[in-house]
Amino acid sequence: IPQTDGATWRFYGKQFTSVGTPLGIYDSSYRLALSGGEWQLSGSNPGNEGPDRLRYIVTSGQLQQIESVQFTASQPAVDVHITLLRSPVRAGDQVVGFTKRIDDIPDQDGDGRAESLDVAVYTRVIGAERVETATGEMLDAIRVETHAVQRLIGSKTGQPGAVVDITGVDWFARGLG
């Protein structure tokens, strides 16, 4: 992200279902501010169901996104740091940001008992790509995928269910972020 307090930032793109069916487009505008040692992007988010505030830090050669996550209603939210890029940037680089078994998930299998959920989040640098900006300019960028992988452990059988992989894609361009 550009590290200039007061800079504006625009995210836009196409949304797809997990099988590739187009859902529509989104166009979000944000303003960058330095607050308490973190960079925060705050603004509009029409058509995209993500947060209205994004938090980042740059530390020890790493760009990290900070997500505040409340895993269950009975637990307080915690900050989870996910490394998006680290120096030197290399295609194929993968960083595990988070692994956790979450207990006390409301009953899903009808036996009246709480379930567990295994969750892992990791990022992988895919490599260099040419991307088109909102103004039509073509830029060289680095593609990074963030995967949130989860599976429910049913209390009835104790067996894990199907793995669900939710993937987000970011492109980082020199001079832009």
Side-chain angles (χ1 to χ4, degrees):
I1 58 177
Q3 295 179 342
T4 304
D5 195 27
T8 58
W9 197 251
R10 181 178 177 205
F11 296 92
Y12 79 100
K14 299 175 183 174
Q15 293 177 303
F16 299 90
T17 66
S18 61
V19 294
T21 306
L23 291 173
I25 62 170
Y26 63 90
D27 191 342
S28 303
S29 298
Y30 288 85
R31 183 177 180 281
L32 184 66
L34 181 61
S35 175
E38 17 177 271
W39 292 99
Q40 297 183 8
L41 288 169
S42 301
S44 69
N45 200 8
N48 186 10
E49 296 181 16
D52 290 329
R53 184 175 68 119
L54 302 171
R55 300 164 49 209
Y56 298 91
I57 59 171
V58 178
T59 181
S60 302
Q62 298 183 9
L63 171 63
Q64 296 180 345
Q65 183 170 352
I66 305 168
E67 294 283 340
S68 185
V69 181
Q70 184 174 6
F71 293 105
T72 67
S74 64
Q75 297 176 344
V78 295
D79 282 347
V80 176
H81 292 244
I82 304 298
T83 297
L84 298 175
L85 285 175
R86 62 183 172 181
S87 181
V89 177
R90 295 183 308 262
D93 190 23
Q94 181 171 305
V95 179
V96 176
F98 182 79
T99 58
K100 182 175 179 71
R101 175 162 286 181
I102 304 164
D103 295 318
D104 298 323
I105 301 297
D107 182 34
Q108 303 291 309
D109 58 14
D111 67 356
R113 296 183 297 167
E115 320 300 348
S116 295
L117 184 70
D118 288 339
V119 178
V121 177
Y122 67 93
T123 57
R124 180 181 298 142
V125 177
I126 302 303
E129 293 185 2
R130 297 277 294 164
V131 295
E132 184 177 357
T133 69
T135 62
E137 180 183 6
M138 296 299 291
L139 296 175
D140 292 321
I142 300 295
R143 178 181 173 147
V144 177
E145 292 183 353
T146 301
H147 294 262
V149 184
Q150 60 188 22
R151 67 178 180 183
L152 188 73
I153 311 298
S155 57
K156 187 184 291 185
T157 65
Q159 298 298 310
V163 173
V164 176
D165 183 350
I166 301 166
T167 305
V169 179
D170 293 295
W171 287 266
F172 296 91
R174 186 177 304 276
L176 293 179

